[in-house]
Amino acid sequence: QVQLVESGGGLVQAGDSLRLSCAASGRTFSIDAMGWFRQAPGKGREFVAAIDWSGSSTYYTNSFQGRFTISTDNAKGTVYLQMNSLKPEDTAVYYCAAGRLSANPKSYDYWGQGTQVTVSS
């Protein structure tokens, strides 16, 4: 089993930045990559970005590349999502996931509880 705990969400204004963290523990050797997804009210789960544990491979949805940056600290077993120039439409619950490097949520076996990000206009 792998346990994931997200943190760093909150209420910010449009144009602000936030950094989300996801700490992984347990059988982390069994996973290849970490990903971030988000789900806005009334919408489905949307892929944001993913990274392999070495940090050598990253994968973004085009609409987020340039504003969002995913990174990992292997020593701490933590993956980060730096979000800049936030917009009200970025308001969502952000989930961390562990599994295989992919935009498909079915490739991820473990999920965190989610952290709320709210961007006011």
Side-chain angles (χ1 to χ4, degrees):
Q1 291 288 332
V2 174
Q3 294 78 41
L4 303 174
V5 179
E6 300 107 328
S7 61
L11 172 63
V12 297
Q13 293 187 331
D16 286 351
S17 297
L18 270 179
R19 188 177 78 158
L20 305 182
S21 300
C22 176
S25 61
R27 298 171 63 87
T28 56
F29 59 84
S30 66
I31 60 176
D32 297 324
M34 302 285 287
W36 286 98
F37 291 78
R38 71 182 191 181
Q39 188 163 14
K43 296 188 178 181
R45 193 160 294 192
E46 178 183 26
F47 172 73
V48 176
I51 189 168
D52 69 344
W53 266 125
S54 71
S56 61
S57 295
T58 57
Y59 187 14
Y60 293 91
T61 293
N62 286 342
S63 57
F64 299 120
Q65 196 158 12
R67 286 197 306 129
F68 292 5
T69 303
I70 191 170
S71 62
T72 184
D73 185 333
N74 240 331
K76 294 182 179 179
T78 300
V79 64
Y80 304 97
L81 184 67
Q82 177 67 41
M83 304 186 294
N84 298 328
S85 302
L86 283 163
K87 306 173 183 179
E89 51 265 41
D90 292 319
T91 295
V93 177
Y94 285 72
Y95 295 92
C96 171
R100 293 183 290 112
L101 190 67
S102 171
N104 189 339
K106 294 181 179 180
S107 296
Y108 295 86
D109 299 313
Y110 304 99
W111 292 82
Q113 80 286 353
T115 185
Q116 177 71 46
V117 172
T118 303
V119 185
S120 64
S121 57

